[in-house]
């Protein structure tokens, strides 16, 4: 019997858009998906030493194509096994959430398209791309909290100067992905709609025939910091305790009634939301881009 042609779906993030929730939901269904001809690989596979996607397929910076332990085609076959669909998820592939050393961030993920072209070229196969985007102010708030959780501390005002609203340019990112050689279909959704359209996202990733295998995890993952927790970190001597932000999150959690951290005033949110609305309108009109949206009257369960 002739094997079905392979299709490849790559969920590339972005960071802080419920990526961990989606990845763990897919991972819990890994065996059921395999029975339906779908192989899923996420951060638990790609963040081991020597197992990053560039390392596996031999296009690490400074390493010539073919520099991996085995040819890219052989590596692809090992991941595929007997599947007709390969689903990858790794948001770090398109670049870091925050600049190292706190440098100014002009454009986020500016090399995403080029990196995907490198992958598609290495495996000699088209890659369909899946991306979630988020309100600019909420995204920057979350990026700031993630920096604190990573042990780097700076005042929010400094972080905002180095990470202006203009750095969250989803139109630029999506347009770059759409234009990248080797990228097939591009599917985008809003983080704010994630809970309501989870079935649509999963159906796009694994295929409609296997979507029944994936159920959303009942709880959110990687909640942000409360305002009190952020203040606790800023007031502390960060040089003595790198894990102080994680401890503060446990002591003053949002789920226990502490107000979420918000570094923006109401008027700044309004400016960011207007920018976001214009970006969404532009993305919705892009040729070859599918913007997943809620159906009329469809509730958002807040996942």
């Amino acid at each position: 019997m002739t094997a079905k042609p392979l299709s490849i779906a790559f969920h590339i993030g972005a960071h802080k858009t419920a990526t961990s929730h989606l990845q763990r939901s897919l991972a819990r269904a890994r065996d059921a998906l395999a029975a339906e001809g779908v192989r899923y690989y996420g951060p638990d596979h790609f963040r081991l030493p020597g197992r990053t996607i560039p390392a596996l397929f031999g296009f690490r910076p400074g390493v010539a194509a073919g520099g991996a332990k085995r040819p890219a085609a052989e590596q692809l076959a090992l991941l595929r096994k007997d599947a007709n669909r390969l689903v990858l998820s790794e948001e770090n592939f398109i670049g870091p959430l925050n600049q190292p050393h706190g440098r100014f961030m002009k454009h986020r993920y500016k090399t995403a398209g080029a990196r995907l072209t490198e992958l598609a070229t290495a495996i000699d196969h088209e890659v369909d791309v899946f991306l979630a985007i988020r309100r600019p102010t909420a995204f920057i708030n979350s990026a700031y909290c993630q920096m604190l959780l990573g042990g780097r501390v700076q005042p929010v005002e400094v972080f905002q100067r180095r990470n202006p609203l203009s750095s969250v340019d989803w139109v630029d990112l999506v347009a770059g992905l759409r234009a990248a050689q080797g990228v097939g279909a591009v599917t985008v959704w809003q983080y704010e709609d994630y809970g309501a359209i989870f079935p649509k996202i999963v159906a796009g990733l694994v295929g409609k025939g296997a979507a029944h295998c994936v159920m959303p995890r009942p709880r959110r993952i990687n909640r942000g910091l409360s305002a009190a927790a952020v203040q606790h970190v800023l007031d502390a001597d960060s040089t003595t305790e790198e894990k102080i932000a994680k401890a503060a999150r446990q002591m003053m959690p949002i789920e226990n009634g502490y107000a979420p951290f918000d570094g923006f005033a109401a008027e700044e949110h309004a400016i960011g939301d207007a920018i976001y609305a214009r970006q969404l309108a532009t993305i919705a009109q892009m040729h070859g881009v599918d913007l997943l949206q809620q159906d009329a009257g469809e509730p958002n369960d807040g996942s």
Side-chain angles (χ1 to χ4, degrees), residues 214-276:
V214 186
M215 294 292 107
R217 285 178 57 92
R219 296 180 182 179
R220 294 182 62 177
I221 301 169
N222 296 333
R223 283 190 179 274
L225 296 173
S226 66
V230 168
Q231 193 59 52
H232 178 77
V233 174
L234 295 175
D235 291 341
D237 181 1
S238 62
T239 62
T240 62
E241 179 56 79
E242 290 186 358
K243 298 181 180 179
I244 192 168
K246 294 180 180 178
R249 181 168 60 180
Q250 290 182 332
M251 289 188 298
M252 294 164 276
I254 294 170
E255 52 265 37
N256 282 7
Y258 287 88
F261 167 76
D262 187 353
F264 293 94
E267 56 269 26
E268 293 172 311
H269 280 295
I271 292 170
D273 288 347
I275 292 170
Y276 191 39

Side-chain angles (χ1 to χ4, degrees), residues 10-14 17 129-134 170-171 173-175 177-178 185-191 193 197 200-201 276 279-280 283-284 286 288-294:
F10 193 169
H11 168 233
I12 62 169
T17 57
V129 173
F130 292 76
L131 169 74
I133 61 178
R134 188 174 182 178
W170 300 126
V171 169
L173 175 57
V174 176
L177 296 174
R178 180 60 280 161
V186 176
T187 301
V188 180
W189 63 91
Q190 296 171 247
Y191 164 80
D193 291 343
I197 65 172
K200 293 182 181 180
I201 296 167
Y276 191 39
Q279 291 179 347
L280 286 167
I283 291 169
M286 285 186 182
V289 176
D290 183 14
L291 179 62
L292 300 181
Q293 295 178 305
Q294 296 186 56

Side-chain angles (χ1 to χ4, degrees), residues 25-42:
S25 297
L26 289 164
R28 284 174 40 160
R30 185 174 273 127
D31 291 343
L33 288 170
E36 296 289 343
V38 179
R39 292 284 176 179
Y40 165 72
Y41 298 92

